[in-house]
Amino acid sequence: MIGRIVRPADFERVLATAPRSRSAHFAVHHVSGWPSLARASTAKDVREAVVQPVSPELSTGADLANDGLVDESSTPPVPPPPEGHWLGLVVPKRHAKRAVTRNLIKRQVRAAMAQHAPALPPGLWVVRLRVPFDKREFLSPSSEPLRLATRAEIAQLFSRAVAGRRAP
C-alpha cells in the first residue's frame, strides 16, 4: 500500500534533498524513512495541563523501590511505522491552471507509483511538476495525448529512480 504525505514538514524535508530523477516537466525527490508522527497533544490538552495538581505525598520514601522509577512514563513508547512508500504530489496552479489537468496528472503519478513501488526503495517520495505542459501541443485540459505523455514521462522518471541515479 502507498501512503500519502500530508504534513508540510514532511514535504519540506523531502524537497530539501536533491532530485532523484528529473525530466522536462517533473522532478522526483526521495528520502528514506517514514512520515513524522502527528503531535500527541492538542491545544485543549495544553490548556488543561498548564497547572498540574500537587500531591501531598512525597515522591521519596520506602515504597519507591517497589513502585519503579519516578521518571517512568505510563505510556509505552510508540514503535516506528513499518517500512513502506509514502507519496506526495506538488502540482501548482501556476503550471496547471485547470483542476481537470491537475487531477489527471495526479492520477497518472499515483498509477505509475503503484506500478513501480515494488522496485523502489522504501521511504517518502515527492513528485513535483516543474514546468507547465505546452498549451499549443495539448489543446484539451484532459486530453488523451496529455494523459499518455504524462504517463510515459512519469514511468521514465521512476525507472531512473529504480536505477538509483541522482539527477544531473
Side-chain angles (χ1 to χ4, degrees):
M1 185 174 110
I2 300 169
R4 289 180 48 207
I5 299 176
V6 293
R7 296 178 53 87
D10 293 329
F11 275 99
E12 290 173 7
R13 183 174 62 157
V14 178
L15 291 173
T17 64
R20 183 141 180 155
S21 62
R22 197 175 1 197
S23 69
H25 297 98
F26 295 97
V28 175
H29 299 262
H30 172 257
V31 170
S32 58
W34 50 80
S36 58
L37 299 174
R39 236 190 308 190
S41 64
T42 61
K44 180 182 173 194
D45 296 336
V46 172
R47 276 185 270 129
E48 291 177 354
V50 170
V51 178
Q52 296 290 331
V54 178
S55 173
E57 298 177 15
L58 296 175
S59 62
T60 60
D63 297 354
L64 185 60
N66 296 337
D67 291 328
L69 298 174
V70 176
D71 295 330
E72 286 182 351
S73 152
S74 61
T75 60
V78 178
E83 289 292 323
H85 297 87
W86 288 270
L87 177 65
L89 300 168
V90 179
V91 184
K93 284 185 181 179
R94 70 177 173 197
H95 296 323
K97 300 275 186 221
R98 308 227 9 216
V100 174
T101 306
R102 292 191 304 272
N103 291 336
L104 179 137
I105 292 169
K106 290 176 187 179
R107 280 194 306 272
Q108 297 306 312
V109 171
R110 286 187 200 109
M113 179 69 174
Q115 179 183 359
H116 289 89
L120 291 170
L124 285 78
W125 292 86
V126 172
V127 178
R128 177 174 54 95
L129 179 63
R130 301 180 322 126
V131 179
F133 283 92
D134 187 14
K135 290 182 183 178
R136 288 171 281 167
E137 187 178 347
F138 303 104
L139 299 174
S140 174
S142 67
S143 64
E144 186 68 16
L146 177 61
R147 185 184 72 77
L148 294 173
T150 303
R151 177 63 79 105
E153 197 170 327
I154 292 295
Q156 181 184 23
L157 281 174
F158 281 127
S159 297
R160 283 190 215 145
V162 167
R165 295 184 310 219
R166 289 278 178 192

